[in-house]
Amino acid sequence: MIENTPILPTNSPYLGDPLLTRYHSSQLDLDVFGTSVTRNTIPVQMSFSRNVLLILFGQVLTTLVFTVSLQYIQLTWDWLQISILTWWIPIIPCVLAAILILWQLWALYFQLVNLARIILLTIFSCLSSFIIGEIVVTFCYADGLLVMNLVISGIVAFYCYTFQQKFKFSGPSPWFCGMAAICLNASWLRILFELDALEILTPIGLAGVICTYILLDLYYIMDNTSAEDVILANTCLYADILYPMRCLHNLCELSDNLNMLDILYPGPPN
């Protein structure tokens, strides 16, 4: 009975065969605007990831500064507390302007000069920081600050990972570094915010989800943009989360390269 049981191949000759490789749908015109980041050398990949993460770090830090500033400006704080609907007055035009600028950056990126890209990204970063900061001040100031600090620690860990040249910026290694930084940072933030061990779990989980999204989406972006398109990569991080179907598409594309089950591959030729 045991002798007749077929043994599944663990080293199929078809693995890695270019004739059987499924290319992503977005790779059909991969070289129209340049070679993707993942097809470059490791130093180029690390430099690209480092620049994207540095911009993202600045955006999250700006959001943190906006949040603290709105909290400690007494006039703004009193004005926000007059009515539950009062804070919608500046939020609505800022949201519309931020969406319009994001669409301009994402859809018309290759038609804009570099200076225009930088200006639009700066304006969008300020608007998004103000929007998030005002929402956090109005509804969840302490928890919002805690999550922002944890997210910053995760981004810093990703950033530090890019300084090594031995391993690519892919796989679970950067994720483990980010999660470790979040947990270590949470140990003293728990004391600072006077939280017990159970209360800190929710901010850790939320920060972990945000950092995981950043990392996975950055993996996909590296596979579909050139090394010079740092601003486009940062824009895609926001566009993907605002467009859930695109985010789901990116996740499906990433899962195509996961060779987890040998049974999915044919055996050796007879």
Side-chain angles (χ1 to χ4, degrees):
M1 184 68 179
I2 299 178
E3 295 179 355
N4 296 330
T5 303
I7 300 176
L8 296 176
T10 56
N11 296 316
S12 174
Y14 292 107
L15 295 178
D17 190 344
L19 297 178
L20 298 178
T21 301
R22 181 189 181 278
Y23 292 98
H24 298 172
S25 59
S26 55
Q27 285 182 325
L28 299 178
D29 56 346
L30 186 63
D31 293 320
V32 174
F33 298 110
T35 305
S36 65
V37 179
T38 53
R39 294 170 60 184
N40 283 280
T41 60
I42 292 181
V44 174
Q45 296 180 26
M46 292 301 179
S47 177
F48 174 84
S49 303
R50 188 159 51 245
N51 292 333
V52 175
L53 291 171
L54 186 61
I55 295 175
L56 189 61
F57 170 79
Q59 291 171 330
V60 179
L61 186 62
T62 302
T63 304
L64 183 62
V65 172
F66 266 88
T67 304
V68 176
S69 300
L70 289 173
Q71 168 68 11
Y72 284 96
I73 296 177
Q74 189 65 29
L75 179 61
T76 305
W77 176 249
D78 292 339
W79 177 75
L80 288 172
Q81 297 302 314
I82 294 176
S83 172
I84 298 177
L85 299 178
T86 303
W87 67 279
W88 285 99
I89 297 175
I91 286 291
I92 293 177
C94 288
V95 169
L96 294 177
I99 293 176
L100 179 62
I101 293 174
L102 182 66
W103 177 80
Q104 290 285 331
L105 272 174
W106 183 50
L108 306 176
Y109 176 82
F110 294 103
Q111 302 177 24
L112 299 172
V113 297
N114 194 48
L115 180 60
R117 298 170 184 170
I118 296 175
I119 294 175
L120 289 177
L121 181 64
T122 303
I123 297 175
F124 170 77
S125 300
C126 293
L127 287 175
S128 60
S129 297
F130 174 77
I131 294 168
I132 297 174
E134 193 165 348
I135 293 175
V136 169
V137 167
T138 305
F139 295 105
C140 51
Y141 178 69
D143 293 336
L145 286 185
L146 180 57
V147 172
M148 288 182 198
N149 280 280
L150 293 176
V151 170
I152 287 176
S153 63
I155 294 175
V156 170
F158 296 154
Y159 181 81
C160 293
Y161 184 87
T162 61
F163 284 99
Q164 58 84 28
Q165 305 293 329
K166 184 177 181 180
F167 304 103
K168 294 182 178 180
F169 192 80
S170 62
S173 298
W175 184 84
F176 281 118
C177 292
M179 296 305 105
I182 290 175
C183 294
L184 291 175
N185 196 24
S187 60
W188 72 270
L189 286 176
R190 181 177 70 86
I191 301 175
L192 182 63
F193 285 84
E194 299 179 352
L195 301 175
D196 57 36
L198 294 178
E199 291 175 335
I200 196 66
L201 292 180
T202 300
I204 290 176
L206 184 57
V209 170
I210 294 174
C211 289
T212 301
Y213 163 77
I214 292 172
L215 191 64
L216 292 179
D217 204 43
L218 185 56
Y219 287 167
Y220 177 81
I221 291 170
M222 291 174 62
D223 207 23
N224 295 275
T225 56
S226 62
E228 296 80 16
D229 300 329
V230 176
I231 295 179
L232 178 61
N234 181 264
T235 303
C236 289
L237 288 173
Y238 291 92
D240 293 343
I241 199 171
L242 293 177
Y243 188 16
M245 291 304 298
R246 177 177 169 84
C247 185
L248 180 61
H249 167 267
N250 297 352
L251 182 62
C252 293
E253 294 283 7
L254 285 174
S255 64
D256 287 340
N257 293 327
L258 296 178
N259 301 328
M260 300 179 63
L261 299 175
D262 291 332
I263 194 173
L264 298 179
Y265 298 95
N270 295 325

mmCIF file of all heavy atoms in Angstrom, residues 127-144:
data_model
loop_
_atom_site.group_PDB
_atom_site.id
_atom_site.type_symbol
_atom_site.label_atom_id
_atom_site.label_comp_id
_atom_site.label_asym_id
_atom_site.label_seq_id
_atom_site.Cartn_x
_atom_site.Cartn_y
_atom_site.Cartn_z
ATOM 1 N N LEU A 127 -1.758 68.798 2.931
ATOM 2 C CA LEU A 127 -3.210 68.650 3.033
ATOM 3 C C LEU A 127 -3.587 67.359 3.757
ATOM 4 O O LEU A 127 -4.445 67.359 4.651
ATOM 5 C CB LEU A 127 -3.835 68.671 1.637
ATOM 6 C CG LEU A 127 -3.883 70.027 0.922
ATOM 7 C CD1 LEU A 127 -4.407 69.863 -0.497
ATOM 8 C CD2 LEU A 127 -4.743 71.019 1.693
ATOM 9 N N SER A 128 -2.954 66.262 3.365
ATOM 10 C CA SER A 128 -3.270 64.984 4.011
ATOM 11 C C SER A 128 -2.872 64.993 5.482
ATOM 12 O O SER A 128 -3.576 64.428 6.330
ATOM 13 C CB SER A 128 -2.572 63.837 3.279
ATOM 14 O OG SER A 128 -1.163 64.016 3.286
ATOM 15 N N SER A 129 -1.769 65.653 5.809
ATOM 16 C CA SER A 129 -1.352 65.745 7.209
ATOM 17 C C SER A 129 -2.355 66.557 8.019
ATOM 18 O O SER A 129 -2.686 66.200 9.160
ATOM 19 C CB SER A 129 0.034 66.384 7.304
ATOM 20 O OG SER A 129 1.006 65.587 6.659
ATOM 21 N N PHE A 130 -2.846 67.643 7.436
ATOM 22 C CA PHE A 130 -3.848 68.459 8.125
ATOM 23 C C PHE A 130 -5.146 67.684 8.324
ATOM 24 O O PHE A 130 -5.757 67.736 9.398
ATOM 25 C CB PHE A 130 -4.111 69.735 7.330
ATOM 26 C CG PHE A 130 -5.235 70.565 7.881
ATOM 27 C CD1 PHE A 130 -5.058 71.345 9.007
ATOM 28 C CD2 PHE A 130 -6.481 70.548 7.270
ATOM 29 C CE1 PHE A 130 -6.103 72.104 9.520
ATOM 30 C CE2 PHE A 130 -7.527 71.299 7.772
ATOM 31 C CZ PHE A 130 -7.341 72.081 8.903
ATOM 32 N N ILE A 131 -5.561 66.946 7.295
ATOM 33 C CA ILE A 131 -6.814 66.184 7.385
ATOM 34 C C ILE A 131 -6.721 65.124 8.476
ATOM 35 O O ILE A 131 -7.589 65.023 9.355
ATOM 36 C CB ILE A 131 -7.132 65.537 6.022
ATOM 37 C CG1 ILE A 131 -7.440 66.614 4.984
ATOM 38 C CG2 ILE A 131 -8.309 64.573 6.149
ATOM 39 C CD1 ILE A 131 -7.485 66.090 3.560
ATOM 40 N N ILE A 132 -5.663 64.335 8.424
ATOM 41 C CA ILE A 132 -5.508 63.273 9.420
ATOM 42 C C ILE A 132 -5.325 63.868 10.813
ATOM 43 O O ILE A 132 -5.899 63.383 11.799
ATOM 44 C CB ILE A 132 -4.317 62.370 9.056
ATOM 45 C CG1 ILE A 132 -4.576 61.675 7.715
ATOM 46 C CG2 ILE A 132 -4.064 61.335 10.150
ATOM 47 C CD1 ILE A 132 -3.400 60.867 7.206
ATOM 48 N N GLY A 133 -4.537 64.939 10.904
ATOM 49 C CA GLY A 133 -4.304 65.563 12.200
ATOM 50 C C GLY A 133 -5.569 66.100 12.831
ATOM 51 O O GLY A 133 -5.803 65.925 14.033
ATOM 52 N N GLU A 134 -6.414 66.732 12.037
ATOM 53 C CA GLU A 134 -7.644 67.289 12.590
ATOM 54 C C GLU A 134 -8.623 66.195 13.005
ATOM 55 O O GLU A 134 -9.311 66.315 14.022
ATOM 56 C CB GLU A 134 -8.296 68.216 11.560
ATOM 57 C CG GLU A 134 -9.405 69.069 12.141
ATOM 58 C CD GLU A 134 -9.798 70.212 11.230
ATOM 59 O OE1 GLU A 134 -9.063 70.483 10.263
ATOM 60 O OE2 GLU A 134 -10.842 70.821 11.486
ATOM 61 N N ILE A 135 -8.667 65.119 12.241
ATOM 62 C CA ILE A 135 -9.533 63.996 12.615
ATOM 63 C C ILE A 135 -9.051 63.352 13.907
ATOM 64 O O ILE A 135 -9.847 63.031 14.804
ATOM 65 C CB ILE A 135 -9.586 62.965 11.475
ATOM 66 C CG1 ILE A 135 -10.294 63.559 10.249
ATOM 67 C CG2 ILE A 135 -10.309 61.699 11.923
ATOM 68 C CD1 ILE A 135 -10.290 62.657 9.043
ATOM 69 N N VAL A 136 -7.741 63.180 14.027
ATOM 70 C CA VAL A 136 -7.184 62.570 15.236
ATOM 71 C C VAL A 136 -7.434 63.451 16.451
ATOM 72 O O VAL A 136 -7.815 62.969 17.524
ATOM 73 C CB VAL A 136 -5.675 62.309 15.045
ATOM 74 C CG1 VAL A 136 -5.024 61.927 16.371
ATOM 75 C CG2 VAL A 136 -5.455 61.203 14.026
ATOM 76 N N VAL A 137 -7.236 64.765 16.303
ATOM 77 C CA VAL A 137 -7.460 65.683 17.422
ATOM 78 C C VAL A 137 -8.917 65.651 17.864
ATOM 79 O O VAL A 137 -9.226 65.723 19.059
ATOM 80 C CB VAL A 137 -7.037 67.113 17.023
ATOM 81 C CG1 VAL A 137 -7.551 68.130 18.031
ATOM 82 C CG2 VAL A 137 -5.528 67.203 16.932
ATOM 83 N N THR A 138 -9.820 65.530 16.917
ATOM 84 C CA THR A 138 -11.242 65.581 17.235
ATOM 85 C C THR A 138 -11.741 64.300 17.893
ATOM 86 O O THR A 138 -12.574 64.348 18.802
ATOM 87 C CB THR A 138 -12.059 65.844 15.956
ATOM 88 O OG1 THR A 138 -11.567 67.029 15.324
ATOM 89 C CG2 THR A 138 -13.535 66.024 16.275
ATOM 90 N N PHE A 139 -11.221 63.155 17.474
ATOM 91 C CA PHE A 139 -11.818 61.899 17.914
ATOM 92 C C PHE A 139 -10.909 61.050 18.808
ATOM 93 O O PHE A 139 -11.399 60.435 19.755
ATOM 94 C CB PHE A 139 -12.233 61.065 16.690
ATOM 95 C CG PHE A 139 -13.329 61.694 15.882
ATOM 96 C CD1 PHE A 139 -13.047 62.295 14.670
ATOM 97 C CD2 PHE A 139 -14.638 61.698 16.334
ATOM 98 C CE1 PHE A 139 -14.048 62.880 13.916
ATOM 99 C CE2 PHE A 139 -15.649 62.276 15.592
ATOM 100 C CZ PHE A 139 -15.358 62.875 14.375
ATOM 101 N N CYS A 140 -9.624 60.963 18.500
ATOM 102 C CA CYS A 140 -8.773 59.998 19.229
ATOM 103 C C CYS A 140 -7.347 60.525 19.312
ATOM 104 O O CYS A 140 -6.444 59.973 18.676
ATOM 105 C CB CYS A 140 -8.812 58.634 18.548
ATOM 106 S SG CYS A 140 -8.471 58.688 16.767
ATOM 107 N N TYR A 141 -7.152 61.554 20.096
ATOM 108 C CA TYR A 141 -5.849 62.219 20.122
ATOM 109 C C TYR A 141 -4.751 61.308 20.669
ATOM 110 O O TYR A 141 -3.721 61.096 20.021
ATOM 111 C CB TYR A 141 -5.937 63.496 20.952
ATOM 112 C CG TYR A 141 -4.628 64.228 21.066
ATOM 113 C CD1 TYR A 141 -4.066 64.864 19.962
ATOM 114 C CD2 TYR A 141 -3.943 64.278 22.275
ATOM 115 C CE1 TYR A 141 -2.857 65.529 20.059
ATOM 116 C CE2 TYR A 141 -2.737 64.949 22.382
ATOM 117 C CZ TYR A 141 -2.196 65.569 21.271
ATOM 118 O OH TYR A 141 -1.000 66.226 21.371
ATOM 119 N N ALA A 142 -4.955 60.753 21.856
ATOM 120 C CA ALA A 142 -3.909 59.940 22.489
ATOM 121 C C ALA A 142 -3.616 58.680 21.677
ATOM 122 O O ALA A 142 -2.449 58.350 21.417
ATOM 123 C CB ALA A 142 -4.322 59.577 23.912
ATOM 124 N N ASP A 143 -4.658 57.983 21.269
ATOM 125 C CA ASP A 143 -4.457 56.762 20.489
ATOM 126 C C ASP A 143 -3.829 57.075 19.131
ATOM 127 O O ASP A 143 -2.999 56.308 18.628
ATOM 128 C CB ASP A 143 -5.789 56.040 20.285
ATOM 129 C CG ASP A 143 -6.353 55.500 21.590
ATOM 130 O OD1 ASP A 143 -5.554 55.273 22.516
ATOM 131 O OD2 ASP A 143 -7.583 55.313 21.681
ATOM 132 N N GLY A 144 -4.226 58.191 18.537
ATOM 133 C CA GLY A 144 -3.652 58.571 17.250
ATOM 134 C C GLY A 144 -2.170 58.858 17.346
ATOM 135 O O GLY A 144 -1.382 58.433 16.485
#
